[in-house]
Amino acid sequence: MSKKIHVQTNINGLDVDLLCESRQSLLEVLRDVLNMTGTKEGCNDGNCGACSVIVDGRLIDSCLMLGVEAEGKEITTIEGVAYTHGLHPIQQSFLENAALQCGICTPGFIVAAKALLENEPEADEGRVRHWLAGNLCRCTGYDKIVRAVLDAGKTMATQSKSES
Amino acid sequence: MARVFIPTMLQPLTEGVKEVEFQAANVRQVIQGLEERFPGIGQWLTEDGRIKPNLAVAIDGETTSMGLLAKVAPDAEVHFIPAISGGGK
Amino acid sequence: MVSTAENKTQYKVVGTRPIRHDGLEKVTGQARYSADINLPGMLHGKVLRSPHAHAIIKSIDISRALALPGVESVITSADLPQPSGRVADLGEGAMMNPKFLSNNVLASDKVLYKGHAVAAVAAADQHVAEEALGRIDVEYEVLPPVLNAVDAMKEGAPILHERLYTAENPFVRPGGLRDDSDPEGGSNVASHFVFELGDLEKGFAEADVVVERGFRTKAVHQGYIEPHSATAMWNRDGHVTIWCSSQGQFAMRDQSALILDISMSQIKVIPLEIGGGFGGKTLVYLEPVAALLSKMTGRPVKVSMSRQEVFEGTGPTSGSFMKVKMGATKDGRITATTATLIYEAGAFPGSPINPGVQCMFGPYDIANGRVEGYDVVINTQKTAAYRAPGAPAAAYAAESVIDELAEKLNIDPIDFRVRNAAKEGTRRLTGPVFPRIGYLETLEAAKNHPHWSAPLEGPNRGRGIATGFWFNGSGPSSATASVNQDGTVSLVEGSPDIGGTRAAVAMQMAEVLGLPAEDVHPSVGDTDSIGFTSTTGGSSVAFKTGWASYEAAQDIKRQMIERAAYIWDVSAEDVDLTDGVFHHKSDPELRFTFKELAGLLLETGGPIVGSAAVNPGGVGGAFAIHIADVEVDPETGKTEVLRYTALQDVGKAVHPSYVEGQIQGGAVQGIGWALNEEYFFDDEGCMTNSSFLDYRMPTSLDLPMIDTVMVEVPNPGHPFGVRGVGEVPIVPPMAAIANAIKAATGVRMTNLPMSPGEVLKALWDSEESKNSD
Amino acid sequence: MMAEKGPKAKALAGGTDILVQLRGRRFFIDRLVDVKGVPEMNELSCSAEEGLTLGAAVPCYRIYEDDTIQSLYSGLVDAAFLIGGIQIQGRASVGGNLCNASPSGDTIPILIALGASCVIEGPKGSRTLPVEDFCTGPGQNVLQDGELLVALKFPPPAANSGAHYLRFIPRNEMDIAVAGAGASVVLEDDKETIKSARISLAAVGPTPIFAEEASELLAGRAASEGSFEAAAEAAKAAARPISDMRGTAKQRIHLSGVLTKRALREAVARAQG
């Protein structure tokens, strides 16, 4: 077993110190080191998006980033999407639109949708479908997921207007 | 009278007879009745005193889960068909 | 859209769209799936897999692996008892040959496909375990592989199983082995059977038009996003706990017990959330391996598959070769049909040939027919069930030929189907007659749908339809529910939930008790905490476990009525439950809300628990018709799906959103199967596209919205009219798209997938044959 | 750091290829050096006068989110926007895609079409060479042990120029090119005559191909279907594909023609403004 490396990072707003091996991916670090199992492994080669997280504002597959690269970064995972006292509009919209069946791809889709809608709440169907093409779902045929993301975008657009 | 259908691949044993009618109150009696008419056919239908694994009995189109005990109503149709094991959504 | 044919009953909960009970955990990442288990002291297992498609294992040397620091145990099939080759009944037609099952989990003397498990390692972490795999020295004697059924059936083909005999009987059995004393050699044909009805010769003589076609489909994978994972802890007292995600915790228990040769009661299987199954999580792969590694090490062991292992080591559904001949009269009446279906079982017998044959002509009333089926073993992954197993390929062949007949006769394809539609009383080709079914209503709904009449303009575009049938299943099922003092009910049921069935099952209980859906809290029990429940499969759960839940609710209702009567000192016969209120039939003063009475239970005789265990008959079959618009790029052969509508007889939709979801998901899996999905093998039998990059499942960008129409023809065999809904939507898409491609290009595609390269080739061939005319 | 370990050292930029290859045990290394912290490798400077300098570790999203690049090098934006999905574009770099030297690498043909050159630093100093000379075979490139691709340099866009890259894939995203074609054209001031053109192909040979004959025959010809057709035929002649699970050789040659035409149509349309 190889030597462990000390990494300081920030996950979901909390500063985190951790030890990991240089060969461990960020996904492994989240799941096996930190026991944050909400981020899922579907393929481990960047082709399904189940492990999507946001790093410094950018949507990525955590299986394609090393844990040691998290040093100094700000990371958002599915565990950090909900508010302290309630669900994020995207989560609520997934529930109301029945946009999940087995639920294994759901964390990845919600994180991906958050990365889109926080910048572009008015994204249209074409934009949403393109953005989500890196996230595979085998249960739903995407129809209800796309609707849920479009609906959540509307809610978020209204919210940001009423806030400003 | 129960109306009992002979599966295609057992029809060589019945010299081409495709269905027969006789009195039977349950599946056990159906098989006994078949065996009386077509000696040897029973071994294709039962094994170790029960309906063969992977074989289903349909009474009036409805697959029964009661095996040899299943009741056969007067004038019921009885079919022997391959059981369908669970597929899965 | 819901189109109600004869829905007279109004329900309060059934037919509404509450938020599913397990939803919150799934949108926040808290839901625990199989790979999310981490136990103190846990080891990680990895499986060594065969690099060859067909080889004799001459020796396995594990010493170098064991010497690696961090490695705790290495196992091979020598550590498993070798069961007999006699077929065992694991309940409800779930037939297993224990020897085949065991040898698929760990190969014994031969490896039969690339990816076949050979040995397993438990180590401190998965990187060490992976490293150890490279230190297991296996000596193989490589044999020539046989990679498709036609080759496997040839004289002199390499034989996979020296003792396998061809079961020439009507009752397909997944492989029987000859006695060792039997001198006959083996066969790759595991079974062969025939169904016949009427008089074929007469039927074809009456036909004005006859169409005959051959079809080929490839193996496709269920493609669930969650890879298999199992964690086991073998306790010192010989009891084992297994945490895994499967479609049946009892199936996992019973299969593991068979392979480990221990009593089923020594195993407790705890079902975790399941990240998709579609039939593919009905067989054990890792569970006995994790258990044995735990036994060897005395520590909990988790074994997880990579995506490549999922593709190479678990069952896709069969590839097939099919021939169909069908005749019809000028006025559009089908007079006769024949079909031969050869399904590839993979390394061990048991393709879904049987349901394929039985569903093939399900939608039609055909007086004269003959269907023949073959189950053939080849050197590829052992196939597993996949959504309506066997039916989609068969429907692709049948519905393509029907489309061609309608076209030749110049009859509208929906009208042609209406003229030949199966209805209540129609005798199926396989013998039995149909009860009340909703095929005609579904065809009518399609005919009246705006999609069918919408103009489709532009070059290279075409519209196609196809229909499909699936029996639907039932089976033993159990439910237990306890009334809480706050007026809610905790429901434990036995069916792992792969698509929202917890909600559908809880809603049926809520309906009986007059409670809102949210007040019934469903969970899926482990094998020690709920009665036997058959696997989640065959679109059976909303039906059978819904029924168990309905009966358990009736049990609660009866007991609570008795309790109210006791409190009021009246006869129970005079008390009823209406809209969630217990009341005296003639004295309006005597009433308890459900919540009020629930609060009184402990002091008036104790808690109330309702339970039911059922094995219901009364299953109603499902019919679907899909309409697809496509555009084919004539320069690249690529097919774009422009518009898609799926209509289906759903019986009674308990939770319409999740019924729509099933229809949409099934349709899209079918679209993937139609256009791009396939197992691609090199000449040595190695799968070359075992990743989500090259095994091309549809992405969100490849699809339009999938419109659904739920036609509700209640199933008279169920208290709420429920029919299974999950499987039939994968049956029509391949033919619907093939028929649309034909309309767009004039070319009929008879092989799946209809990938751009294949379509392009067909376009070139058709161009060439035109030029040579 | 790289030089110390010789062939057992690799550079890590976005990691979207190399981590998968390491996991698949395609090769074994002792050292993986994260080069994203190297300033020159993260440089992104673009102007109409100076052209574009693209640090080898710059991820794709920085290319397509840059307004200047969008207006000056829209062909490069095409390629950066279609690699993988959004998640991949958040990490993957054009430099990494080039070093990976896959015949089907989606950004390489447009680099060739745009006349980009590679800036390479190594223990023996720096050197520069045209992109079309960089790849030497599937997964093979000219880099010697210890050498590193630092940046790509693009000449300033000529007046009346336009470029486009497109590929053919069975799905609409998340796929490997069955074939791809890049084209850049410079038109005369009449905007109807081609002054010069560069055409390149992906996935139809052991390396991405610079289709010289197809490029040269366009010079001086009308920017019309007839010319595109002629170039497509020449591109087909330049293609030397294999048959594999992603496509047959015949299909790929055919697609080389189809895609060359389509790339030229769009490149000309862009040049005409």
Side-chain angles (χ1 to χ4, degrees):
Chain A
M1 271 163 282
S2 54
K3 204 175 102 222
K4 293 201 172 167
I5 296 164
H6 177 225
V7 175
Q8 283 187 306
T9 184
N10 181 291
I11 303 179
N12 301 327
L14 294 174
D15 287 333
V16 176
D17 279 77
L18 60 92
L19 289 174
C20 72
E21 293 177 43
S22 58
R23 62 185 172 186
Q24 283 181 303
S25 66
L26 175 60
L27 174 63
E28 285 177 83
V29 169
L30 289 172
R31 290 181 55 84
D32 299 343
V33 178
L34 301 172
N35 211 14
M36 296 175 69
T37 55
T39 305
K40 303 300 180 191
E41 177 185 320
C43 69
N44 212 23
D45 58 12
N47 286 297
C48 79
C51 66
S52 295
V53 298
I54 300 171
V55 177
D56 285 353
R58 194 53 56 180
L59 180 68
I60 65 138
D61 291 323
S62 59
C63 71
L64 293 184
M65 174 169 157
L66 292 174
V68 293
E69 292 181 82
E71 176 72 36
K73 299 272 197 292
E74 283 186 13
I75 297 169
T76 303
T77 71
I78 184 65
E79 288 92 346
V81 173
Y83 309 131
T84 312
H85 298 291
L87 293 177
H88 188 280
I90 299 171
Q91 293 171 315
Q92 192 60 37
S93 184
F94 266 64
L95 291 179
E96 284 167 7
N97 282 280
L100 60 146
Q101 285 178 32
C102 81
I104 194 86
C105 70
T106 308
F109 270 98
I110 288 175
V111 169
K114 178 174 150 73
L116 171 67
L117 296 181
E118 287 190 344
N119 295 311
E120 301 175 46
E122 272 135 19
D124 64 8
E125 184 189 335
R127 175 69 171 148
V128 168
R129 285 190 181 274
H130 180 265
W131 185 271
L132 296 178
N135 292 77
L136 288 178
C137 169
R138 189 59 157 175
C139 293
T140 64
Y142 305 101
D143 182 303
K144 291 183 189 299
I145 292 177
V146 172
R147 289 178 202 275
V149 174
L150 291 169
D151 274 5
K154 279 181 209 137
T155 308
M156 288 167 71
T158 320
Q159 278 179 1
S160 68
K161 264 180 212 148
S162 63
E163 274 163 25
S164 59
Chain B
M1 298 274 264
R3 193 171 165 203
V4 182
F5 289 73
I6 313 293
T8 307
M9 290 188 78
L10 293 186
Q11 287 168 15
L13 296 177
T14 64
E15 289 170 349
V17 173
K18 292 180 180 179
E19 52 177 280
V20 284
E21 291 194 12
F22 53 83
Q23 295 289 347
N26 56 37
V27 172
R28 186 186 306 280
Q29 291 176 13
V30 167
I31 290 171
Q32 280 165 357
L34 284 173
E35 181 67 24
E36 277 165 27
R37 282 163 184 76
F38 312 111
I41 198 169
Q43 62 166 336
W44 290 100
L45 304 172
T46 57
E47 183 175 296
D48 301 336
R50 50 191 285 200
I51 294 287
K52 275 209 175 209
N54 232 44
L55 165 59
V57 184
I59 301 168
D60 281 335
E62 167 84 36
T63 303
T64 172
S65 56
M66 298 300 290
L68 295 176
L69 303 177
K71 301 276 185 286
V72 176
D75 305 328
E77 281 192 6
V78 180
H79 289 269
F80 297 93
I81 50 177
I84 305 299
S85 50
K89 119 64 222 149
Chain C
M1 196 200 285
V2 181
S3 151
T4 304
E6 51 192 72
N7 184 22
K8 296 177 195 85
T9 323
Q10 285 307 310
Y11 299 116
K12 289 257 161 27
V13 179
V14 167
T16 65
R17 301 176 187 238
I19 285 178
R20 61 192 277 173
H21 302 77
D22 52 323
L24 185 120
E25 291 192 338
K26 286 179 174 162
V27 298
T28 54
Q30 298 168 65
R32 287 212 303 174
Y33 294 80
S34 56
D36 299 341
I37 287 286
N38 283 309
L39 299 172
M42 187 174 81
L43 298 170
H44 293 264
K46 271 281 161 199
V47 175
L48 179 71
R49 295 178 182 278
S50 167
H52 307 293
H54 196 188
I56 294 166
I57 300 173
K58 301 199 76 170
S59 66
I60 304 179
D61 183 351
I62 61 173
S63 54
R64 287 200 309 125
L66 276 174
L68 186 71
V71 171
E72 301 290 330
S73 176
V74 182
I75 59 167
T76 68
S77 70
D79 299 299
L80 286 175
Q82 286 300 308
S84 85
R86 196 179 150 80
V87 176
D89 185 356
L90 291 183
E92 259 327 88
M95 296 310 306
M96 289 294 161
N97 181 320
K99 185 173 171 58
F100 292 157
L101 187 66
S102 175
N103 290 356
N104 194 41
V105 166
L106 281 174
S108 69
D109 42 355
K110 263 178 116 182
V111 287
L112 295 168
Y113 54 97
K114 196 256 180 183
H116 196 163
V118 172
V121 174
D125 68 43
Q126 53 174 330
H127 296 283
V128 175
E130 268 167 34
E131 224 172 302
L133 296 184
R135 291 162 160 258
I136 300 173
D137 301 302
V138 186
E139 195 189 339
Y140 294 102
E141 181 187 330
V142 179
L143 303 172
V146 55
L147 297 172
N148 68 64
V150 168
D151 288 348
M153 291 169 81
K154 282 181 186 151
E155 194 77 28
I159 295 292
L160 275 75
H161 303 278
E162 294 302 333
R163 313 299 315 152
L164 183 69
Y165 69 88
T166 305
E168 286 280 357
N169 78 54
F171 313 125
V172 189
R173 302 177 49 146
L177 293 177
R178 289 177 196 285
D179 293 336
D180 287 340
S181 56
D182 189 334
E184 284 284 310
S187 158
N188 290 328
V189 180
S191 86
H192 169 227
F193 62 98
V194 178
F195 286 101
E196 247 175 30
L197 187 72
D199 184 339
L200 275 179
E201 224 170 288
K202 180 172 152 280
F204 279 115
E206 285 166 11
D208 297 310
V209 184
V210 174
V211 170
E212 191 169 3
R213 287 270 182 191
F215 299 85
R216 165 71 166 142
T217 71
K218 303 282 186 57
V220 295
H221 199 270
Q222 298 82 355
Y224 34 81
I225 306 296
E226 178 202 33
H228 296 252
S229 179
T231 304
M233 179 63 212
W234 193 299
N235 290 316
R236 303 298 193 274
D237 64 358
H239 282 80
V240 197
T241 304
I242 300 175
W243 294 260
C244 61
S245 74
S246 77
Q247 291 173 237
Q249 66 277 54
F250 289 93
M252 295 299 113
R253 180 193 71 175
D254 298 352
Q255 292 174 29
S256 297
L258 200 63
I259 289 175
L260 297 166
D261 196 22
I262 59 177
S263 163
M264 62 173 71
S265 65
Q266 278 174 270
I267 303 178
K268 172 159 95 173
V269 174
I270 299 178
L272 298 166
E273 294 297 343
I274 167 171
F278 316 111
K281 289 180 182 162
T282 51
L283 292 175
V284 287
Y285 296 101
L286 301 175
E287 291 77 5
V289 172
L292 192 55
L293 286 170
S294 176
K295 183 184 183 186
M296 296 291 191
T297 57
R299 289 165 65 178
V301 179
K302 172 157 85 176
V303 192
S304 302
M305 288 193 195
S306 67
R307 177 55 52 185
Q308 184 181 358
E309 286 182 281
V310 173
F311 276 119
E312 297 184 359
T314 73
T317 192
S318 298
S320 69
F321 294 88
M322 299 174 288
K323 272 207 185 95
V324 183
K325 182 179 168 191
M326 190 179 275
T329 56
K330 274 187 215 139
D331 59 352
R333 179 76 210 157
I334 300 171
T335 56
T337 191
T338 61
T340 303
L341 277 61
I342 301 168
Y343 277 21
E344 295 165 342
F348 298 98
S351 74
I353 181 66
N354 165 4
V357 163
Q358 291 194 60
C359 286
M360 186 166 193
F361 298 111
Y364 302 102
D365 182 356
I366 304 176
N368 311 295
R370 181 178 198 278
V371 196
E372 187 173 10
Y374 292 89
D375 184 39
V376 180
V377 293
I378 60 172
N379 290 112
T380 63
Q381 293 70 17
K382 185 213 172 324
T383 53
Y386 179 24
R387 205 167 196 151
Y396 167 58
E399 292 288 306
S400 294
V401 167
I402 282 171
D403 196 66
E404 201 168 341
L405 273 178
E407 191 193 336
K408 287 205 157 134
L409 293 166
N410 203 20
I411 299 175
D412 172 279
I414 296 183
D415 287 341
F416 185 77
R417 286 167 171 86
V418 168
R419 280 177 218 186
N420 294 285
K423 41 191 151 316
E424 188 171 359
T426 297
R427 183 167 302 285
R428 288 158 56 185
L429 222 156
T430 48
V433 295
F434 272 120
R436 177 79 175 96
I437 49 173
Y439 184 49
L440 270 174
E441 288 85 346
T442 312
L443 290 173
E444 284 305 319
K447 191 131 192 162
N448 298 327
H449 195 277
H451 185 173
W452 185 240
S453 44
L456 180 61
E457 282 155 7
N460 307 313
R461 293 181 168 189
R463 176 171 296 154
I465 63 146
T467 67
F469 165 66
W470 177 251
F471 313 86
N472 289 328
S474 180
S477 183
S478 308
T480 307
S482 27
V483 180
N484 300 312
Q485 284 161 272
D486 64 358
T488 63
V489 178
S490 300
L491 166 65
V492 182
E493 43 120 340
S495 290
D497 179 355
I498 50 181
T501 51
R502 246 172 307 206
V505 168
M507 287 166 74
Q508 295 183 52
M509 170 161 282
E511 184 71 48
V512 174
L513 297 178
L515 296 173
E518 298 75 34
D519 283 359
V520 178
H521 304 151
S523 59
V524 181
D526 64 55
T527 53
D528 281 356
S529 63
I530 186 71
F532 182 89
T533 300
S534 53
T535 294
T536 296
S539 303
S540 62
V541 174
F543 178 83
K544 71 184 177 195
T545 307
W547 198 317
S549 171
Y550 168 87
E551 291 291 350
Q554 295 291 355
D555 190 15
I556 288 176
K557 178 179 166 183
R558 183 184 50 75
Q559 294 182 58
M560 288 185 73
I561 284 175
E562 281 171 7
R563 192 66 60 90
Y566 178 80
I567 294 169
W568 293 328
D569 197 17
V570 299
S571 160
E573 280 164 21
D574 293 331
V575 181
D576 205 356
L577 170 64
T578 310
D579 292 343
V581 175
F582 293 93
H583 60 93
H584 192 272
K585 283 176 185 165
S586 50
D587 183 349
E589 294 291 303
L590 296 180
R591 63 192 304 279
F592 281 133
T593 63
F594 190 92
K595 189 175 175 177
E596 287 164 349
L597 184 54
L600 295 174
L601 293 180
L602 296 190
E603 63 216 56
T604 57
I608 284 179
V609 173
S611 67
V614 300
N615 188 357
V619 174
F623 291 87
I625 174 166
H626 291 192
I627 311 171
D629 290 358
V630 304
E631 179 172 328
V632 179
D633 181 337
E635 285 189 321
T636 65
K638 181 166 165 173
T639 301
E640 199 72 45
V641 180
L642 304 172
R643 184 173 179 184
Y644 202 95
T645 304
L647 306 96
Q648 184 174 321
D649 167 19
V650 299
K652 175 68 197 165
V654 179
H655 192 309
S657 296
Y658 286 97
V659 174
E660 290 163 0
Q662 289 296 321
I663 296 173
Q664 290 163 338
V668 166
Q669 287 182 344
I671 291 170
W673 193 342
L675 293 178
N676 281 310
E677 292 181 36
E678 68 178 300
Y679 267 50
F680 203 98
F681 294 100
D682 65 17
D683 292 344
E684 278 74 50
C686 297
M687 183 185 184
T688 53
N689 61 333
S690 52
S691 76
F692 278 148
L693 180 60
D694 284 313
Y695 185 86
R696 299 189 184 89
M697 308 197 315
T699 74
S700 53
L701 199 55
D702 301 324
L703 298 159
M705 292 294 186
I706 306 294
D707 289 334
T708 59
V709 177
M710 295 179 282
V711 179
E712 292 195 321
V713 180
N715 170 19
H718 186 276
F720 295 120
V722 169
R723 292 178 195 277
V725 298
E727 287 173 295
V728 76
I730 201 177
V731 181
M734 287 74 92
I737 288 178
N739 295 342
I741 291 174
K742 171 68 170 58
T745 64
V747 171
R748 179 154 296 283
M749 299 299 297
T750 54
N751 292 345
L752 293 182
M754 299 174 283
S755 59
E758 290 297 317
V759 172
L760 196 57
K761 192 167 160 292
L763 290 172
W764 288 340
D765 290 349
S766 127
E767 204 56 38
E768 247 169 55
S769 69
K770 264 185 227 159
N771 292 343
S772 64
D773 283 348
Chain D
M1 272 177 94
M2 301 275 295
E4 244 171 57
K5 293 282 183 181
K8 288 286 192 183
K10 294 258 182 197
L12 168 72
T16 54
D17 279 320
I18 199 165
L19 294 184
V20 176
Q21 289 160 355
L22 282 170
R23 231 168 262 155
R25 296 172 181 258
R26 242 172 297 153
F27 47 74
F28 296 89
I29 55 168
D30 293 336
R31 182 169 284 172
L32 191 60
V33 181
D34 189 351
V35 295
K36 288 191 289 298
V38 180
E40 305 91 290
M41 300 190 70
N42 267 306
E43 185 186 348
L44 186 63
S45 62
C46 184
S47 69
E49 299 73 34
E50 302 290 321
L52 167 65
T53 300
L54 175 65
V58 172
C60 287
Y61 77 88
R62 283 182 61 195
I63 296 169
Y64 62 69
E65 287 183 1
D66 186 306
D67 293 342
T68 316
I69 300 180
Q70 272 193 29
S71 69
L72 296 177
Y73 297 96
S74 56
L76 178 64
V77 167
D78 295 334
F81 197 55
L82 55 70
I83 274 209
I86 300 296
Q87 287 92 334
I88 303 291
Q89 292 158 12
R91 297 267 297 166
S93 61
V94 171
N97 192 231
L98 178 57
C99 288
N100 193 45
S102 163
S104 58
D106 274 314
T107 62
I108 308 175
I110 196 68
L111 299 180
I112 296 173
L114 291 171
S117 53
C118 310
V119 181
I120 297 165
E121 298 282 355
K124 293 177 203 151
S126 66
R127 58 182 177 134
T128 300
L129 80 163
V131 168
E132 54 267 37
D133 296 339
F134 184 82
C135 300
T136 54
Q140 307 292 317
N141 61 42
V142 297
L143 292 180
Q144 304 290 312
D145 293 348
E147 274 193 331
L148 201 57
L149 175 71
V150 176
L152 293 156
K153 285 205 181 287
F154 297 72
N160 305 321
S161 67
H164 183 51
Y165 173 74
L166 82 170
R167 62 180 178 178
F168 177 75
I169 54 174
R171 290 190 288 194
N172 290 333
E173 268 290 345
M174 300 300 291
D175 228 329
I176 288 192
V178 178
S184 72
V185 295
V186 182
L187 302 182
E188 301 286 2
D189 288 340
D190 66 2
K191 294 198 175 180
E192 307 219 321
T193 315
I194 297 170
K195 189 192 249 177
S196 66
R198 286 173 71 88
I199 291 167
S200 54
L201 302 169
V204 291
T207 64
I209 290 171
F210 173 40
E212 277 184 271
E213 279 181 36
S215 306
E216 281 161 17
L217 71 79
L218 283 170
R221 293 183 68 148
S224 65
E225 276 301 309
S227 309
F228 304 159
E229 193 67 53
E233 283 307 311
K236 282 162 74 175
R240 290 180 303 281
I242 55 165
S243 290
D244 67 10
M245 61 175 168
R246 293 176 186 135
T248 62
K250 187 179 175 194
Q251 178 192 5
R252 285 179 154 139
I253 291 172
H254 167 79
L255 287 172
S256 298
V258 170
L259 297 173
T260 296
K261 262 188 291 183
R262 291 181 182 184
L264 279 169
R265 278 183 207 134
E266 178 62 22
V268 165
R270 287 177 179 180
Q272 290 169 335

